Amino acid sequence: MASDTGRVLDTLMLPFDEGLLEWPTDGALFLRASHGVALHRRPGLVCEQGFRPDADTLEAAGFAVTGHDPARRYAIVLVLPPRQRDEARALFANAIARTAPGGRVIACVANNAGARSAESDLAAVAGPVSHLGKHKCRVFWTAPLDGPADAALAQAWAELDAPRTIEDGRFVSRPGVFAWARIDAASRLLAAHLPVGLAGDAADLGAGFGYLSAELLERCPGIGTLDVIEAEARALELARLNLERYATRAELRFHWLDATRGLPGRYDVIVSNPPFHAQGRADRPDLGRRFIEVAAESLQPRGRLWLVANRHLPYESALASGFAQVRTVAQEGGFKVIEGVRA
């Protein structure tokens, strides 16, 4: 049975497969690209993807993912809109801006992920669209474009992705980043229990826009270096902005990488609120378990992991195998804060 991504990509290519649209000879741009077999039938594809695991997969398959000219315009711009609507609208505005005169934007969304709403949004900013349905997905595409149908709306939507302040100005964030408009309760609970005596070389695993990194530096004066590790480039950019004020307080290093593949250093302290959903909505406890495993591999002897997780997630076996001491520090609001001490 085809994967969800495979079904979306097969449907995305349906207008070309059925001869309704012609694939351009000089290539096409794919925003928020994901890898699948369907891509290999289309030469000259230029991919952009800010989520490091997907970018790594595309690069391993032979697609160039970084270093493209943002001023280049394309006859075809493909889009996989994200679930968050403001982020998706900003992506549509960007797609139209990257389209050459007479070019088209083509997008695809699974039916249960808001396909009709996404189609309506593209039509609102680009004008009439055509669509096809297959594999429980919907592909929809514009008529030949010469800019947006509604220039004011396109400008307003483009600005939806701009960083903006939250938490009374303490942080900047943007739509689509995890818990983008607030500090999520799990991270806040972990921060409240960080002991002031944590010291040495530290890492924030899955740092998001930098909240836990900031709290660690605020609460623990003994932290001398901090590796800020995040797979989503849009979030890491925010973390850089949010942690600028601590640049003289500790040595900060920012890493755009997939933490499940290993960490760049050895640490005395690791803090983490691990993801448990990847890019979809289904629970992925394997991600959290892998975060725990790489933390154990990367901590110095007697190094300490401070972790928060949903209470129902089964992390106990990974903690028991990786750490000599494990204790539950707090349980509140459906979350648990755990400390693990390396042997």
Side-chain angles (χ1 to χ4, degrees):
M1 185 174 183
S3 68
D4 289 345
T5 299
R7 287 193 292 268
V8 171
L9 290 174
D10 285 345
T11 308
L12 179 66
M13 296 300 172
L14 198 58
F16 304 102
D17 293 339
E18 296 197 354
L20 299 174
L21 298 177
E22 184 176 346
W23 188 260
T25 57
D26 57 349
L29 175 65
F30 192 1
L31 300 178
R32 284 302 175 97
S34 289
H35 178 255
V37 174
L39 301 189
H40 292 272
R41 302 194 298 267
R42 305 298 171 185
L45 191 61
V46 174
C47 297
E48 290 188 4
Q49 173 56 260
F51 185 57
R52 191 58 188 258
D54 286 350
D56 286 345
T57 301
L58 286 161
E59 288 182 338
F63 295 97
V65 181
T66 58
H68 306 307
D69 179 5
R72 182 181 170 188
R73 302 292 180 262
Y74 295 83
I76 293 292
V77 178
L78 306 170
V79 184
L80 296 183
R83 285 182 178 270
Q84 209 289 330
R85 198 166 191 182
D86 283 352
E87 182 189 3
R89 286 174 166 177
L91 193 63
F92 281 144
N94 180 30
I96 294 169
R98 306 285 292 277
T99 303
R104 301 176 189 260
V105 174
I106 298 99
C108 188
V109 180
N111 292 342
N112 63 1
R116 289 186 181 274
S117 294
E119 181 181 351
S120 296
D121 281 349
L122 182 58
V125 71
V129 300
S130 303
H131 71 261
L132 288 172
K134 195 172 183 179
H135 308 305
K136 298 182 180 179
C137 302
R138 178 178 289 240
V139 57
F140 43 97
W141 63 95
T142 68
L145 295 175
D146 188 10
D150 188 331
L153 185 63
Q155 179 61 36
W157 284 8
E159 293 171 0
L160 292 175
D161 192 44
R164 77 284 307 270
T165 60
I166 63 169
E167 294 291 307
D168 296 324
R170 184 183 176 198
F171 297 101
V172 294
S173 187
R174 71 201 321 171
V177 172
F178 171 69
W180 78 270
R182 69 193 190 287
I183 306 303
D184 74 285
S187 293
R188 197 183 293 275
L189 181 65
L190 175 56
H193 287 87
L194 292 174
V196 297
L198 296 176
D201 299 323
D204 182 356
L205 210 51
F209 62 73
Y211 167 73
L212 279 176
S213 290
E215 288 295 300
L216 184 67
L217 293 167
E218 287 279 359
R219 295 167 184 264
C220 307
I223 297 297
T225 67
L226 178 61
D227 279 0
V228 182
I229 298 167
E230 172 55 44
E232 177 54 63
R234 297 170 70 252
L236 189 65
E237 179 184 345
L238 297 169
R240 290 180 186 274
L241 296 173
N242 288 323
L243 298 175
E244 280 181 350
R245 73 192 77 164
Y246 303 104
T248 58
R249 151 77 179 77
E251 181 183 353
L252 305 178
R253 299 178 294 232
F254 297 87
H255 304 272
W256 179 50
L257 56 80
D258 177 1
T260 66
R261 296 191 172 192
L263 306 186
R266 300 280 289 175
Y267 306 101
D268 302 296
V269 177
I270 292 176
V271 299
S272 185
N273 179 2
F276 56 95
H277 281 125
Q279 295 294 77
R281 290 189 174 182
D283 276 6
R284 288 283 309 278
D286 57 301
L287 291 174
R289 287 194 292 266
R290 182 57 187 152
F291 269 48
I292 292 167
E293 291 168 358
V294 298
E297 294 164 1
S298 301
L299 282 166
Q300 301 281 10
R302 305 301 298 169
R304 300 160 77 182
L305 168 67
W306 281 80
L307 173 88
V308 67
N310 287 32
R311 289 175 65 177
H312 74 278
L313 291 173
Y315 293 158
E316 283 69 23
S317 61
L319 288 160
S321 63
F323 293 88
Q325 301 173 36
V326 177
R327 69 185 180 105
T328 299
V329 178
Q331 296 190 65
E332 182 180 313
F335 305 109
K336 54 190 175 185
V337 173
I338 297 170
E339 181 193 34
V341 181
R342 188 84 164 84

